[in-house]
Amino acid sequence: MKLRDLAQGSSVFLGVIVAGYLSTTYVDQRFAMQATTTGSPAPTSGPAPSACVGEDGSWKNWPWPNVPALSPKCR
């Protein structure tokens, strides 16, 4: 392996890490902004509503794209 190959591989590796960080930051900001601008605001007192699964299989009270496993059914 030549020094040029090592430098090229290192720059690609660094580029992938930077791109992953920037895309993660963008997605987090986008979904956080979407969660705060849509729906009703969270109450200032009392417990926050918990995530649950509706009869049609859709998630309620969960604004994020990832879904908690084994959530209870909605009452």
Side-chain angles (χ1 to χ4, degrees):
M1 175 184 283
K2 296 180 182 177
L3 184 60
R4 180 179 181 269
D5 296 335
L6 179 64
Q8 185 178 9
S10 297
S11 66
V12 169
F13 186 69
L14 181 64
V16 168
I17 290 174
V18 169
Y21 174 76
L22 291 176
S23 66
T24 303
T25 304
Y26 170 77
V27 168
D28 285 345
Q29 288 176 354
R30 179 174 178 217
F31 282 111
M33 185 184 312
Q34 186 179 27
T36 58
T37 58
T38 61
S40 61
T44 56
S45 62
S50 61
C52 62
V53 181
E55 290 183 18
D56 61 349
S58 64
W59 289 93
K60 309 293 183 202
N61 303 323
W62 194 255
W64 303 101
N66 60 341
V67 180
L70 303 175
S71 289
K73 298 224 181 263
C74 295
R75 294 181 189 168

